Each structure stands twice: as C-alpha cells, then as structure tokens.
Amino acid sequence: MILVTGGAGFIGSNFVLDWLRAGGEPVLDLDALTYAGNLENLHALEGDPRHRFVRGDIADRGLLDRLLAEHRPRAVLHFAAESHVDRSIHGPAAFVRTNVEGSFHLLEAVRAHWQTLSEPQRGAFRFLHVSTDEVYGSLGPDDPAFTETHPYQPNSPYSASKAASDHLVRAWFHTYGLPVLTTNCSNNYGPYQFPEKLIPLMIVNALAGRPLPIYGDGLNVRDWLYVLDHCRAIRTVLEHGRPGETYNIGGWNEQTNRQIVEAVCALLDELRPDPAGPHRRLITFVADRPGHDRRYAIDARKIERELGWRPQESFETGLRKTVRWYLANQDWVRHVQSGAYREWISRHYGATS
C-alpha cells in the first residue's frame, strides 16, 4: 500500500486515478477536504476496495501515527498543500500552517514509522515530496531555465512556504537518513483543476460570456505541464529515483499568459462557438498582482537523462484534451462553482474549514 496526502486535490486525485488505472497497489488517501479538495474527483473509485479515503489533516500527528501503524505503507507521496498564489497574498497564515507545519508533522510521523520497519523494508521505503518551480524565483527573458541546483529565491508567501517544506525534506534526509525524493514541477493543467487557476478559469468564464482577466500586460511566462505527464513522472521518480535527489519536472513548453488565453479561446471557437462572436473579445487586462514573477522555465534534462522520462503530450494535444474535459463535465464545474460539492462533504464528513 502507498499513502497519498492531498489525494482529493487536482494533482493528487489525477495521480490516484492514474496509479490505480495502471494497476498500482492499493492507496490510502488522506485529505483535509479544504476548499479545493473535492471527492467528486474520485467518483470513479467509488466502491473500489483498492482505494481507502480518510478525511484528516497532515498536521494531526495522532491521526498520522494511527494510519501509519495500521496500514504500514511502503511509500508516502506528499501532494497536500495550499497552492494558489493569490490566496497566499491575502491569507498567508494558512499556507504556513499547511505547507510548513503540516509537512513537519508528516515528516516526523513518517520518520517514526520508518524506524519501526525491518532493514529490507527501510531500504525500500520512500517519501516523495511534490513541490513547485516557484521556489526558484523569477527568471529574466534570456536566463537559462531552472536546474535542480538553482538557488532558492521565493517571492510569494506560497512559494516561500513551499521552499521551507523543501528544506525540511532535505534536512530529514541528511540528518536522519529518511529516504526522501523531491520533485519540483512547472505549471500543471488538465482535468479536475479548481477553476481559480488560469486555464480552467478562462474556460469557465468564456463559456459564461464573462470577462477573461489577464494580469498586467499578459507577458508573464510559464512552462506548462499536462497533469497526467506529471503523474507519470512521479511514478518514475518513485520507482527509480535516488534517495536525497531532486528532480525537476517540466513540459518543455514556455508560453505567455496571453498566448495561453488566446489558445483557449481558439479551441472554444472551434469546439463551442459563441453566436456573439470570437471568445477573445472577452479578454480584459487587469492590474497586476503584487510580486508577480515574470518568467519560470524548467530544465528537465536530469529526469530524462537519469530516469528516461519525457512528457508525452505537447501543449496543443494536452490543452485540447483539457478543454474537451471541461466541456464534457459541466456538472462538475457547476458543483464547484455553486459549492454543492462542499455541501455533500459537510453531510458526510461534518463541517469543513
């Protein structure tokens, strides 16, 4: 069995679905079900004995100890995090609590569990920490892409909290010998992404005829990675990565925010034309957010060279799959927008935070 934290979130739920679809061993899925944790993402696993869901907080040491003692997973994959930069600007405390304090409590619980294992089990055990390229800061237009040795220069409360968790994971390897792996990924997109992030927000707003807001001049650059390519990379790192190592995971696809929005509009014009005219008419430029990093870019040569992973999707194929998914899953979108998914959680799991 493996333990996945944050397995009802965007990347975590895609990973759990992909893992079990590929025939992986059973999953113990721990998620606090805060605003972006959505059990509807895991609807396809309802009744599947290979998936056990537990609602709980990674900062709850007692719960962690009980789950680890009962299920004795051979690996822990740590996806759980607060992850939206805008939210971190307006409310940084939640990011420090989950991303820093929560990661600390999880590391300590896992370390205690790992020390109870037999020698062969200890050698095979892995703790995989899923992080972000934002810890590296911002690049100039001609700077080389981030490598695993790039200095940390986080510029938002979100990226600072993730940088802190990365440092904790590194320290638990060097101090205690816990066999950790860290991945730093670029911007993910794909099914089940909460519609506050750029691509799903543009899809949802365009379908409703609402403005498509772009920060500043729209020329901020990000590297875009299709979420299922990310899931495959994580499986590869878990199976073949060297303990203590960091692996950057990117899509080899730098695009400006404006290019992204225009590409979404073009696909919607093709797949769901609007009688009022091309969707790009809705593009609206708004005041830039504080501390907005200008460019991120991932150099993913290490994971290709050492582990043989490269993304399978181009941006064009991945974006088309993503737009088609949102068009085909309007009920999911409506439940997220209306809060109906949280009402369901409240009925089954009690009040949410």
Side-chain angles (χ1 to χ4, degrees):
M1 173 175 281
I2 63 170
L3 168 61
V4 173
T5 72
F10 164 47
I11 301 176
S13 63
N14 273 285
F15 177 82
V16 169
L17 291 166
D18 187 61
W19 175 269
L20 293 176
R21 193 162 47 235
E25 65 235 71
V27 174
L28 176 62
D29 189 342
L30 176 65
D31 197 297
L33 297 180
T34 54
Y35 78 97
N38 187 351
L39 285 178
E40 284 193 48
N41 298 2
L42 301 167
H43 177 72
L45 299 177
E46 189 172 343
D48 191 327
R50 299 174 301 162
H51 179 250
R52 175 172 175 179
F53 180 81
V54 175
R55 185 183 182 186
D57 192 330
I58 57 170
D60 184 343
R61 178 62 190 272
L63 173 63
L64 294 173
D65 288 341
R66 289 194 300 275
L67 292 175
L68 291 166
E70 178 183 351
H71 297 281
R72 301 184 68 78
R74 62 99 175 174
V76 173
L77 292 93
H78 180 29
F79 293 87
E82 296 284 349
S83 65
H84 193 230
V85 174
D86 287 357
R87 285 179 180 265
S88 80
I89 292 169
H90 297 294
F95 288 73
V96 173
R97 183 186 181 279
T98 297
N99 299 352
V100 184
E101 296 177 19
S103 294
F104 163 74
H105 289 295
L106 180 63
L107 281 165
E108 279 292 83
V110 169
R111 179 167 72 95
H113 163 68
W114 174 69
Q115 289 174 333
T116 69
L117 301 177
S118 67
E119 194 59 41
Q121 290 173 325
R122 289 179 68 183
F125 185 85
R126 295 292 183 267
F127 178 96
L128 194 153
H129 174 59
V130 179
S131 191
T132 173
D133 59 359
E134 297 192 36
V135 299
Y136 298 125
S138 185
L139 293 170
D142 300 317
D143 290 340
F146 299 131
T147 67
E148 289 80 359
T149 59
H150 195 281
Y152 275 34
Q153 296 176 309
N155 291 321
S156 70
Y158 162 59
S159 58
S161 68
K162 288 298 289 185
S165 66
D166 289 9
H167 291 320
L168 290 174
V169 171
R170 175 185 170 88
W172 261 241
F173 172 74
H174 286 279
T175 302
Y176 303 112
L178 186 68
V180 305
L181 300 154
T182 297
T183 58
N184 293 88
C185 69
S186 57
N187 279 33
N188 278 221
Y189 67 98
Y192 302 111
Q193 189 169 30
F194 202 78
E196 65 182 2
K197 299 296 181 78
L198 180 63
I199 288 177
L201 178 64
M202 295 303 112
I203 296 170
V204 169
N205 278 14
L207 292 174
R210 293 195 295 264
L212 307 181
I214 302 178
Y215 283 130
D217 59 10
L219 300 182
N220 299 75
V221 174
R222 299 292 182 264
D223 174 45
W224 292 88
L225 174 66
Y226 187 61
V227 67
L228 290 179
D229 275 330
H230 186 195
C231 293
R232 298 178 191 112
I234 290 169
R235 283 208 313 270
T236 299
V237 173
L238 179 65
E239 293 166 12
H240 304 295
R242 289 181 289 133
E245 290 293 312
T246 295
Y247 298 91
N248 281 355
I249 304 171
W252 296 108
N253 177 65
E254 291 187 56
Q255 301 271 353
T256 67
N257 288 345
R258 181 166 186 165
Q259 287 174 314
I260 294 295
V261 177
E262 290 176 345
V264 169
C265 289
L267 276 171
L268 288 173
D269 288 345
E270 173 192 340
L271 300 172
R272 189 68 61 84
D274 185 344
H279 288 92
R280 65 181 300 166
R281 77 188 191 281
L282 301 169
I283 292 175
T284 304
F285 293 92
V286 299
D288 212 350
R289 71 184 179 204
H292 196 178
D293 289 337
R294 193 62 171 172
R295 173 177 169 245
Y296 304 145
I298 281 282
D299 183 333
R301 285 180 294 180
K302 177 179 175 178
I303 190 174
E304 179 178 2
R305 181 177 65 250
E306 295 189 7
L307 307 183
W309 175 88
R310 273 190 69 89
Q312 295 179 15
E313 300 290 345
S314 68
F315 182 68
E316 290 73 19
T317 61
L319 186 63
R320 180 174 289 273
K321 288 180 177 180
T322 301
V323 172
R324 285 188 179 278
W325 187 89
Y326 279 91
L327 290 175
N329 289 274
Q330 287 296 293
D331 284 345
W332 182 92
V333 173
R334 280 192 292 271
H335 292 167
V336 169
Q337 290 181 305
S338 69
Y341 79 107
R342 293 183 60 76
E343 294 169 9
W344 188 93
I345 291 168
S346 295
R347 288 198 303 274
H348 288 78
Y349 288 94
T352 57
S353 57

